[in-house]
Amino acid sequence: MDSGLDTTLLLIVTVAAGIAAQVLASWAKLPGIVFLLLTGLLLGPDGLNWVQPEQLGEGLETLVSLSVALILFEGGLSLDLRNLLQVSGSLRNLITLGAGITILGGAIAAHRFSEFPWPLAFLYGAIVVVTGPTVTTPLLRQVQADPKVSTLLEGEGVLIDPIGAIVAVVVLNFVLSGSQDVGLVLEGLILRLVVGAIAGSVGGGLLALFLRQVRFLSEELRTLVVLAALWAIFGAAQAVVSEAGLLAVVIAGLLLRAVAIPDLEAIKTFKGQLTTLAISILFVLLAADLSIASLFALGWGGPLTVLALMLLVRPLSIGLCTWGSDLNWAQKAFLSWIAPRGIISASVASLFAILLTDRGLAGGAAIKAQVFLTILMTVFLQGLSAKTVAKKLGVLDRPEQIVLVGDDLELRLLAILLEQNKQPHQAIATVPEEPDWESESITLLLGRDQSTPAEQTGLTVVDLCPLDDRAHLYSTQISADLWQQRLQEQRCELFQIELSDRQAVQQWQQALEADRILPLLHQRGEGWELALLPAVAETGDRFWGLSRDRQLALDEIEWQDWPADWSSSPEPPRSQPEDAVELAPPDAATPSS
């Protein structure tokens, strides 16, 4: 059969099998990597022999490099710098001190249990530094963990990937050269970090400037420009020094997210779809290239090495890196348990195995087998137990209680909405001096004229949301007064909406910016929160809120009947014409009960 046709069939089977595995994982509500690895092993030479990655030759390395660049860029694009700043100290420690602890601990475990010689043991430790956003991020979305924990794990997964890959390449060069000069290792590491930082900053900055200034591009063309640019940034950094491109694309993604470029949501959606496709292809190909015999050849030393990494090295790293932080013991325990390895570890191990074999050095197959065993064990043990562990430790991102303080009309309506959706809440007139809350996790919404210092609540965790903080609630003072008057005089409409696609998200943001809606309650997945602070909406979000009238141009809006006990007035709410004259006297700012 023609070699070109063989390659075509190989890619067709790989894509079809990878997507089928993702669909099955979504149906079973399990991490996709579990089914992707099993699919690759089943279709590989040790299984049905339908997928033979060696047919791609050097094309496999090219495919891996471009896909990894795309995955890391998408990871950087998904990170919010504002959230990262809240855990910046612990995050900094994890990608520096934590990386060193993992390299050293992994090397000791591999040398002690798997009997790797020290050079290969340190190479293994360097490869498993990365935790992998391709596994961690979907896992956290499924678990709905505490925001601080999720931010720290996502930030670590994205930022440690390029750093870990760079460290692994430097260690590999050290092993291949046979040099004993540790200074060369540090020099290679610093050079790649500096080149990557400069290329990512310059390239990402120029791309952001271009996207903000050029208005004639369509949404589809804009996303393709970003794709071409990220690979150009990656290639430019790689041309200067190998592996510098990994850090460059992460920084470029962070910059684009930070400057809020046009059509950011569309770009994130497009890159997310490409990333899912890339992960599906790579995991199947790399798993198919793994020899099952090499896994069994590790003996009991292989699993013992991974268990030492999970149960000893990771908790030690988390304990030291979060020392003195405001994280409690339960959050630290969850962080210690969740560190699954993903596509970066698999791709780096596969490439290193080829390089070691080409240089005539033994150990390439053993390194690859040990890394894949690490991926399998961490994903199965940690991924399948993550939600149960989070529940037991109490680190789920669902406030145990929402407390509404005051008798403002907004609070009364919120209480009704929460009751209708069976969400735990409490409505009180004032906060007692010594409150007896049922939970330590409280969202406390203070009505107007309510002043309660956080230290008087006696809570470990309190999210204070003052209703009269108009700098956050409304765009202007006039806007605040108008909404209060509309609600008091029942000249607005109650609605709910689910943002099912990208167009709905854009329509929602436009309505917010035009001050046509006031969101009250927000549901994302299984998590609920008060939506009085307008946030960036995402596909799949559900909102309850108020509209000025029923002329709102939102495709999937559902108008709601006002609750029967909402007002003592027998008159139902009536919408006014768009050009109605509205006055907002000072005393209208505080509606009566």
Side-chain angles (χ1 to χ4, degrees):
M1 186 179 291
D2 182 75
S3 60
L5 182 58
D6 287 344
T7 303
T8 301
L9 291 176
L10 168 65
L11 292 176
I12 291 174
V13 172
T14 302
V15 171
I19 299 302
Q22 293 277 26
V23 171
L24 185 59
S26 179
W27 172 78
K29 295 183 179 180
L30 294 173
I33 188 176
V34 173
F35 292 93
L36 290 171
L37 288 174
L38 294 178
T39 300
L41 291 172
L42 176 64
L43 298 181
D46 287 349
L48 298 176
N49 199 27
W50 290 357
V51 175
Q52 300 173 352
E54 66 272 9
Q55 293 180 3
L56 295 175
E58 295 183 358
L60 178 61
E61 182 177 350
T62 302
L63 180 62
V64 169
S65 297
L66 293 179
S67 298
V68 168
L70 175 63
I71 292 168
L72 291 180
F73 176 82
E74 198 268 340
L77 197 63
S78 66
L79 289 181
D80 191 333
L81 289 177
R82 293 171 298 181
N83 293 334
L84 291 180
L85 290 176
Q86 298 178 8
V87 292
S88 58
S90 297
L91 181 59
R92 180 197 62 235
N93 294 339
L94 277 176
I95 62 178
T96 52
L97 175 62
I101 293 173
T102 303
I103 293 174
L104 181 59
I108 294 174
H111 180 73
R112 172 67 179 83
F113 297 113
S114 296
E115 300 181 352
F116 282 10
W118 281 113
L120 289 182
F122 273 101
L123 191 56
Y124 167 76
I127 294 175
V128 296
V129 162
V130 299
T131 56
T134 57
V135 185
T136 304
T137 300
L139 187 63
L140 292 173
R141 288 174 182 168
Q142 183 182 16
V143 172
Q144 292 289 326
D146 172 84
K148 280 190 177 180
V149 170
S150 297
T151 298
L152 194 53
L153 286 173
E154 288 186 24
E156 178 195 17
V158 172
L159 298 178
I160 200 66
D161 268 7
I163 295 175
I166 289 172
V167 171
V169 168
V170 172
V171 174
L172 175 67
N173 292 335
F174 184 75
V175 171
L176 294 177
S177 66
S179 172
Q180 303 298 317
D181 188 357
V182 180
L184 292 177
V185 175
L186 295 177
E187 181 182 342
L189 176 61
I190 294 173
L191 177 62
R192 287 169 170 82
L193 292 177
V194 171
V195 171
I198 293 175
S201 300
V202 174
L206 291 176
L207 177 59
L209 181 63
F210 176 79
L211 293 175
R212 289 176 67 89
Q213 295 297 323
V214 176
R215 298 292 182 178
F216 61 83
L217 293 178
S218 65
E219 179 181 300
E220 292 77 10
L221 190 55
R222 192 180 296 273
T223 57
L224 293 176
V225 166
V226 174
L227 177 63
L230 83 89
W231 276 337
I233 293 170
F234 174 76
Q238 290 287 98
V240 177
V241 58
S242 66
E243 309 312 317
L246 299 179
L247 181 60
V249 292
V250 170
I251 292 178
L254 283 169
L255 277 175
L256 291 190
R257 171 65 182 265
V259 300
I261 59 174
D263 296 325
L264 178 60
E265 191 63 32
I267 292 171
K268 288 172 61 179
T269 301
F270 178 65
K271 295 299 178 290
Q273 293 170 344
L274 287 181
T275 296
T276 300
L277 177 62
I279 293 170
S280 303
I281 294 173
L282 288 188
F283 263 122
V284 172
L285 285 175
L286 297 179
D289 200 35
L290 177 66
S291 169
I292 297 179
S294 65
L295 288 174
F296 286 104
L298 295 173
W300 287 107
L304 289 175
T305 297
V306 181
L307 288 175
L309 195 68
M310 294 170 56
L311 303 178
L312 297 177
V313 178
R314 177 66 175 182
L316 176 62
S317 174
I318 291 296
L320 293 178
C321 293
T322 60
W323 187 273
S325 70
D326 59 352
L327 297 172
N328 58 41
W329 73 268
Q331 292 170 321
K332 293 180 182 180
F334 187 74
L335 289 169
S336 298
W337 179 241
I338 302 299
R341 272 60 180 183
I343 191 64
I344 307 300
S345 295
S347 59
V348 170
S350 299
L351 295 179
F352 283 12
I354 296 173
L355 291 174
L356 289 171
T357 301
D358 291 344
R359 293 293 187 93
L361 298 177
I367 279 281
K368 182 177 178 179
Q370 185 65 60
V371 170
F372 269 83
L373 182 62
T374 304
I375 295 172
L376 285 167
M377 289 185 63
T378 55
V379 169
F380 270 92
L381 296 178
Q382 297 173 346
L384 299 181
S385 65
K387 193 156 192 174
T388 301
V389 172
K391 286 182 178 179
K392 294 292 184 182
L393 293 174
V395 295
L396 292 178
D397 182 23
R398 287 200 297 272
E400 296 294 333
Q401 196 170 9
I402 294 176
V403 179
L404 310 175
V405 185
D407 195 34
D408 302 80
L409 291 180
E410 292 96 326
L411 300 184
R412 291 171 56 189
L413 183 55
L414 269 172
I416 293 173
L417 293 175
L418 289 167
E419 181 68 27
Q420 290 176 345
N421 288 283
K422 297 180 173 58
Q423 294 305 305
H425 69 283
Q426 183 179 2
I428 57 179
T430 58
V431 177
E433 294 184 3
E434 297 182 1
D436 184 20
W437 307 121
E438 298 177 358
S439 168
E440 291 185 348
S441 181
I442 302 290
T443 296
L444 191 63
L445 180 59
L446 301 178
R448 297 176 182 84
D449 301 326
Q450 297 285 339
S451 177
T452 304
E455 59 269 15
Q456 292 185 6
T457 63
L459 303 175
T460 304
V461 179
V462 181
D463 183 13
L464 288 172
C465 304
L467 193 61
D468 59 357
D469 187 357
R470 298 188 178 96
H472 296 282
L473 269 175
Y474 306 97
S475 57
T476 64
Q477 174 67 50
I478 296 178
S479 173
D481 293 338
L482 288 179
W483 274 112
Q484 292 168 44
Q485 184 175 350
R486 289 168 187 156
L487 188 59
Q488 185 177 22
E489 299 177 0
Q490 298 183 342
R491 291 190 295 106
C492 52
E493 300 287 348
L494 183 63
F495 69 87
Q496 68 169 307
I497 186 173
E498 182 176 355
L499 307 180
S500 60
D501 54 29
R502 199 165 60 241
Q503 181 180 355
V505 172
Q506 292 175 342
Q507 291 176 345
W508 174 265
Q509 292 298 138
Q510 291 171 358
L512 268 179
E513 294 170 2
D515 195 34
R516 294 181 61 85
I517 55 177
L518 179 67
L520 297 173
L521 194 60
H522 176 206
Q523 179 189 10
R524 176 172 294 170
E526 297 182 7
W528 291 76
E529 65 180 4
L530 304 178
L532 290 169
L533 308 182
V536 176
E538 296 182 2
T539 301
D541 285 1
R542 181 178 287 274
F543 285 92
W544 285 256
L546 298 173
S547 169
R548 285 158 49 178
D549 52 54
R550 293 204 175 193
Q551 306 302 315
L552 196 59
L554 292 175
D555 293 339
E556 301 180 13
I557 196 166
E558 299 177 22
W559 299 106
Q560 305 290 298
D561 293 331
W562 286 79
D565 57 348
W566 164 242
S567 173
S568 57
S569 172
E571 291 292 327
R574 290 193 179 92
S575 299
Q576 295 295 323
E578 194 65 31
D579 58 352
V581 177
E582 297 182 270
L583 300 177
D587 58 352
T590 307
S592 62
S593 58

